Amino acid sequence: LTSSPVSQPTTLRYPPLRLRGGEKSQVVSQVEECFKKSFGAEPDHVIVAPGRVNLIGEHTDYNDGFVMPCAIDFHVAAAISAAEGKTLTVAAQNFDGEQSKIELGGELKKVSDKTWSNYIRGVCKILQEDKGYELKGANMVLGGNVPQGGGLSSSAAFEVATATALNHVCKLGLRPKDLALVGQSAEHWVGCNCGIMDQYISAQGKEGHALMIDCRDLSTRDVSIPKGAAVVIVNSRVKHQLAGLDSEYNTRRSQCEEAARHFGVTALRDVTSETLKAHADELDPETLKRARHVVTENERVLEAVEALQKGDLKRMGELMAASHVSMKDDFEISIPEIDALVEIMSAVLKGEGGVRLTGAGFGGSVVCLCPEAKVEELRAAVAAEYPKKSGGTEASFYVCHASQGARVL
């Protein structure tokens, strides 16, 4: 995957400057200032799109299952103004205003320098070449504070911000769902065969809510997060560079597909725990474990919806704990450092909320849903205990709240 232009130091340990209501965040101010410096005028429009974290529902998306992410208040901002001609000139605020020119109207190809611009090129390609929309010339600056490499979807926020900005300036009339699909297709074009979750939640998040997504028909359900609850994300700052890591993911996907074929269904979404138990001896042990994770994880997502709507953080915590055990033992995508974070944070929570690995696995981050009153105790415990179990590596600690999706300010 090419570099995203929203990278930030992974040692960030303070809450983000939140973007709520009409408040202008530091990110927006920096992007506006970069626009004035780059183009000599104020931008006509400013758009923001958030990063995300998945509360529960891991490796279920490509099995036609359920996921439940929430948008977070780390975000990407796009400042844009229409310009004469058919050139889109883009500057990356996080890369000191480095510019790239994209000639619209003709065939768009990826570039080997300024690779961050390939995300914008991808969005433009999907809109004009695949969807048939006419794009107009514009000047645009993008920047953000979505931490890169922590599994918070900086690239999805970047794509959705770009698509939303072009939709607004070129008056395309696309809905948030459409913009999410454009962003997903752009990411595929860049080179990452992602599911729909990241772009969907960035485009359609709702303040104070998670979004339960049915990955089969793309229907959604807003799920309120209890008042006084914080979303804490802790990046282990460990990413195991396993030889053939892509093959590890591909093998798991193939095993899931093999299990679905065995049961004569389109995807594991259509298999229940009871059916799996009754026919467990018909699958090889490893395929059975992979299938069991997906089947039980789908059930946990549906139960998590009910728990959150009741404001039951205790039950939500139990479901998150079970999800982590399943990823560790059945899907086998956790690592010792992640397990250490879960252990440290669970000892502080004492049943008031939950913590689990979030994202693809083999490193990355954990997500914790907990009372705001627990945040500082969690921060202190992670700072004191994690380096002892990680060979001295310090974790990055982020405090977030469920935020609104992409919008024009």
Side-chain angles (χ1 to χ4, degrees), residues 66-240:
F66 305 102
V67 294
M68 194 164 66
C70 70
I72 57 176
D73 34 16
F74 285 99
H75 51 277
V76 169
I80 190 167
S81 293
E84 296 295 325
K86 296 286 287 182
T87 301
L88 174 62
T89 304
V90 189
Q93 183 266 322
N94 294 86
F95 289 166
D96 298 321
E98 181 179 69
Q99 290 190 14
S100 181
K101 290 185 181 293
I102 301 171
E103 299 301 327
L104 303 170
E107 183 182 359
L108 290 172
K109 296 181 178 179
K110 284 176 273 193
V111 294
S112 57
D113 63 329
K114 301 176 185 176
T115 52
W116 56 264
S117 72
N118 285 330
Y119 292 95
I120 303 130
R121 294 171 191 276
V123 170
C124 293
K125 180 188 186 302
I126 301 305
L127 285 171
Q128 70 175 15
E129 296 178 31
D130 295 8
K131 304 294 183 183
Y133 290 101
E134 183 179 355
L135 300 180
K136 302 173 184 176
N139 295 323
M140 182 165 65
V141 172
L142 292 112
N145 65 351
V146 183
Q148 201 176 4
L152 306 184
S153 294
S154 59
S155 61
F158 187 68
E159 292 147 3
V160 170
T162 300
T164 304
L166 293 173
N167 182 53
H168 189 66
V169 167
C170 300
K171 298 179 171 57
L172 305 181
L174 293 169
R175 302 168 300 166
K177 176 180 176 180
D178 301 323
L179 297 173
L181 291 166
V182 167
Q184 180 196 26
S185 297
E187 184 120 359
H188 289 177
W189 183 75
V190 170
C192 178
N193 191 25
C194 61
I196 189 57
M197 174 178 69
D198 297 352
Q199 291 81 6
Y200 227 57
I201 184 63
S202 184
Q204 301 193 99
K206 183 177 178 181
E207 179 84 21
H209 291 70
L211 187 70
M212 197 277 275
I213 304 171
D214 182 330
C215 295
R216 171 164 286 170
D217 62 12
L218 298 185
S219 61
T220 61
R221 181 176 174 183
D222 292 326
V223 183
S224 60
I225 290 179
K227 288 184 179 178
V231 179
V232 174
I233 301 156
V234 183
N235 186 351
S236 68
R237 299 181 65 207
V238 174
K239 192 72 176 177
H240 278 207

Side-chain angles (χ1 to χ4, degrees), residues 149 235-246 248-249 332-339 360-365 386 389-391 393:
N235 186 351
S236 68
R237 299 181 65 207
V238 174
K239 192 72 176 177
H240 278 207
Q241 299 299 320
L242 297 177
L245 188 58
D246 284 345
E248 292 285 341
Y249 297 134
E332 297 181 288
I333 56 172
S334 191
I335 60 172
E337 293 87 348
I338 289 289
D339 295 338
F362 300 107
S365 300
Y386 178 65
K389 301 186 178 185
S390 63
T393 299

Side-chain angles (χ1 to χ4, degrees), residues 7-41:
S7 58
Q8 290 288 312
T10 54
T11 52
L12 186 67
R13 288 186 183 82
Y14 49 84
L17 286 163
R18 304 217 167 86
L19 192 69
R20 295 187 173 183
E23 182 185 349
K24 183 182 287 191
S25 73
Q26 185 180 42
V27 169
V28 171
S29 297
Q30 289 171 340
V31 166
E32 288 178 332
E33 186 60 35
C34 183
F35 190 96
K36 285 187 284 185
K37 187 175 179 181
S38 300
F39 302 112

Side-chain angles (χ1 to χ4, degrees), residues 151-369:
L152 306 184
S153 294
S154 59
S155 61
F158 187 68
E159 292 147 3
V160 170
T162 300
T164 304
L166 293 173
N167 182 53
H168 189 66
V169 167
C170 300
K171 298 179 171 57
L172 305 181
L174 293 169
R175 302 168 300 166
K177 176 180 176 180
D178 301 323
L179 297 173
L181 291 166
V182 167
Q184 180 196 26
S185 297
E187 184 120 359
H188 289 177
W189 183 75
V190 170
C192 178
N193 191 25
C194 61
I196 189 57
M197 174 178 69
D198 297 352
Q199 291 81 6
Y200 227 57
I201 184 63
S202 184
Q204 301 193 99
K206 183 177 178 181
E207 179 84 21
H209 291 70
L211 187 70
M212 197 277 275
I213 304 171
D214 182 330
C215 295
R216 171 164 286 170
D217 62 12
L218 298 185
S219 61
T220 61
R221 181 176 174 183
D222 292 326
V223 183
S224 60
I225 290 179
K227 288 184 179 178
V231 179
V232 174
I233 301 156
V234 183
N235 186 351
S236 68
R237 299 181 65 207
V238 174
K239 192 72 176 177
H240 278 207
Q241 299 299 320
L242 297 177
L245 188 58
D246 284 345
S247 70
E248 292 285 341
Y249 297 134
N250 291 338
T251 297
R252 282 159 179 74
R253 187 165 186 157
S254 296
Q255 289 166 330
C256 293
E257 291 167 353
E258 178 188 339
R261 281 194 300 271
H262 177 81
F263 289 106
V265 296
T266 304
L268 284 175
R269 150 78 171 271
D270 302 307
V271 178
T272 65
S273 289
E274 291 72 22
T275 299
L276 193 62
K277 287 176 185 174
H279 299 273
D281 58 351
E282 299 170 12
L283 296 171
D284 71 78
E286 196 168 80
T287 299
L288 172 63
K289 289 199 295 183
R290 306 300 188 247
R292 185 166 57 211
H293 165 72
V294 173
V295 170
T296 57
E297 186 79 344
N298 277 326
E299 294 169 351
R300 283 187 286 270
V301 174
L302 296 177
E303 193 173 344
V305 170
E306 304 306 319
L308 283 184
Q309 288 187 325
K310 293 175 183 174
D312 190 348
L313 272 184
K314 182 176 185 297
R315 181 57 185 149
M316 183 66 186
E318 292 168 351
L319 293 166
M320 292 175 77
S323 173
H324 183 75
V325 170
S326 181
M327 286 187 286
K328 176 176 176 282
D329 294 341
D330 279 349
F331 224 63
E332 297 181 288
I333 56 172
S334 191
I335 60 172
E337 293 87 348
I338 289 289
D339 295 338
L341 281 171
V342 169
E343 181 183 339
I344 292 163
M345 296 172 75
S346 296
V348 172
L349 292 174
K350 297 183 175 69
E352 294 185 69
V355 58
R356 60 183 281 278
L357 165 67
T358 187
F362 300 107
S365 300
V366 300
V367 61
C368 173
L369 188 63

